Amino acid sequence: MATDHNFRVKNGLEVGGVLIVNSSGQLQAVTATSNLSFDDNVKAQFGAGNDLQIYHDPHNSFILHNNSNGYFAIKNETGSLFLHGNRVDLRTSTGNESMLRAFLNGAVELYHDNSLKLITHSSGIDVTGEIHLDDSNTKLL
């Protein structure tokens, strides 16, 4: 049945036990078995105060954690954004270059232009390339 008229439901709507919209018009539950698509600048918001927001503008993608002052940061006085995994990789948007890799109970690797420059290990760090120190009183042991 096709229609070009508005459809209005008062006091809530439940569709097949999967999609529930309460009487205030808020989505309460959804089960998705395919991709959810959002237009540019449309945010997926989580938390009572929209503390976590995920969105994309025409040029950039954002994962934002909101502090009590309304500013967004990865770490702030009201909490932190945590990424959990036995191995965490930050890669370029194409996925073909590493920027940072961290391993459970192991190394953290930092890359420049997909070239490993610094790696941590149980006895310290290894650096590939030059080290520039601004403080002339700094001593390397």
Side-chain angles (χ1 to χ4, degrees), residues 100-121:
L100 179 141
R101 293 174 30 178
F103 301 88
L104 175 68
N105 299 323
V108 173
E109 301 173 347
L110 295 176
Y111 292 79
H112 178 267
D113 195 18
N114 205 38
S115 177
L116 182 59
K117 295 299 179 181
L118 187 140
I119 185 169
T120 66
H121 50 78

Side-chain angles (χ1 to χ4, degrees), residues 28-92:
Q28 289 185 319
V30 64
T31 300
T33 57
S34 62
N35 294 333
L36 298 176
S37 296
F38 297 87
D39 288 337
D40 286 341
N41 299 308
V42 174
K43 297 177 181 177
Q45 299 178 338
F46 303 87
N50 298 324
D51 301 347
L52 175 65
Q53 300 180 8
I54 301 172
Y55 71 98
H56 173 79
D57 69 20
H59 308 286
N60 304 291
S61 298
F62 301 87
I63 299 175
L64 304 172
H65 179 245
N66 187 359
N67 71 17
S68 61
N69 298 321
Y71 298 103
F72 295 103
I74 290 189
K75 185 173 182 180
N76 56 56
E77 64 274 359
T78 62
S80 300
L81 172 65
F82 295 95
L83 301 176
H84 291 253
N86 291 339
R87 175 177 162 174
V88 176
D89 291 55
L90 295 179
R91 301 179 67 76
T92 58

